[in-house]
Amino acid sequence: MADPYIDPFETKIYGKFAREQMAAVLMGKLPALDGMVEFAIGKQLVADQAMSDILDRQPKPAPELDSAEVLEEARDVIVRFGSYLDSLKGRPVDPKVFFRGEMPSVLARRRITKLTAAVGHIADELERQREKVRGADAWLAELREVHEKLGIVERQQRATRVERLELGPEVSTAREAWLAIYNANKSLARGLLAHLGKPELLPLIFDDLAEVHRASGVSDALPPGQPATPAAAPTPQPAAPAAPAAAAPPAQPAASPDA
């Protein structure tokens, strides 16, 4: 299934990314199924174009803070701060306390909710460690500024989702049609990857399945009133068979009366 957070405007991003990745990841892997991949890409292109045509007829929102620019700024400051800590003579502080054991480059790719929390944590920790970090004041100012911008972007996204939920039934119908194609293509790709023995590559094609987004401009924020998808119940495992009872030791022969 597709990520339930995909809103009508994000279909354009996810669809384009899936088309590009189906070509890059699947084409040529099983030549006998290349025609199927071309079919899936073509169907996705038609669905993307239909969705785009409808969205282009909708009222345009007022200009706001550039989300992609703010995210890039946040990711840049995290990576630069990590490099700066590594450059300090004698390592006066352990970088792990700032990045919670993750590599800065990995943490920087987290979705906006986690990214905002990460930048806030780094700034708070630097406040506590400021006497040990040369140039802490300049870094604090930059981190606080980025953290504030991330908060604004989060609020913008929530407000935008409210507006998008109020779009007409034409957009809702088009989104459902788009999701049908997107999910069908996901099933085709899943089958091909199963033949290859590489099912783990599916999130590289369909970015809504990825823990860390590669497609720029999408979010994992829940629309208002949308419940989180419940985790699947664990599959019950059969009980292990009981261990066989230990065999009783053979009876000792009775002592001979002549003994």
Side-chain angles (χ1 to χ4, degrees), residues 142-214:
E142 186 172 0
L143 286 163
R144 294 296 188 197
E145 181 182 357
V146 168
H147 187 249
E148 182 179 355
K149 289 181 180 179
L150 285 169
I152 293 172
V153 168
E154 277 199 289
R155 291 191 293 274
Q156 281 181 185
Q157 290 186 350
R158 285 195 293 269
T160 300
R161 286 177 181 277
V162 172
E163 294 171 2
R164 290 175 179 180
L165 288 175
E166 295 172 353
L167 292 172
E170 179 188 33
V171 175
S172 177
T173 300
R175 176 182 177 273
E176 292 303 315
W178 182 92
L179 285 173
I181 297 298
Y182 189 72
N183 283 328
N185 285 337
K186 195 176 288 184
S187 296
L188 292 177
R190 184 180 287 111
L192 192 155
L193 290 171
H195 281 295
L196 293 173
K198 297 182 178 179
E200 70 278 4
L201 297 183
L202 197 65
L204 296 183
I205 303 170
F206 300 95
D207 197 54
D208 60 300
L209 299 179
E211 170 64 22
V212 178
H213 281 317
R214 298 172 68 209

Side-chain angles (χ1 to χ4, degrees), residues 37-145:
V37 178
E38 291 173 351
F39 171 82
I41 293 172
K43 293 289 285 186
Q44 190 65 59
L45 177 60
V46 171
D48 293 345
Q49 189 58 57
M51 195 76 220
S52 182
D53 290 344
I54 289 175
L55 291 175
D56 287 345
R57 298 197 291 268
Q58 305 305 309
K60 300 296 186 292
E64 296 176 315
L65 205 59
D66 188 321
S67 299
E69 184 177 313
V70 172
L71 289 173
E72 187 57 38
E73 185 179 350
R75 288 161 179 160
D76 175 69
V77 71
I78 287 175
V79 172
R80 284 191 294 106
F81 183 62
S83 298
Y84 178 73
L85 291 177
D86 286 336
S87 73
L88 293 177
K89 185 177 180 180
R91 286 287 187 90
V93 291
D94 185 354
K96 290 181 181 178
V97 302
F98 295 99
F99 308 113
R100 291 174 170 161
E102 291 195 82
M103 293 292 294
S105 58
V106 173
L107 185 62
R109 298 304 304 174
R110 296 301 183 197
R111 301 182 182 189
I112 186 168
T113 301
K114 293 182 179 179
L115 193 64
T116 304
V119 173
H121 169 75
I122 292 169
D124 291 342
E125 190 61 40
L126 182 56
E127 188 77 52
R128 288 189 286 271
Q129 306 275 356
R130 65 189 307 160
E131 299 303 323
K132 300 178 183 178
V133 179
R134 179 165 42 87
D137 289 345
W139 282 109
L140 264 173
E142 186 172 0
L143 286 163
R144 294 296 188 197
E145 181 182 357

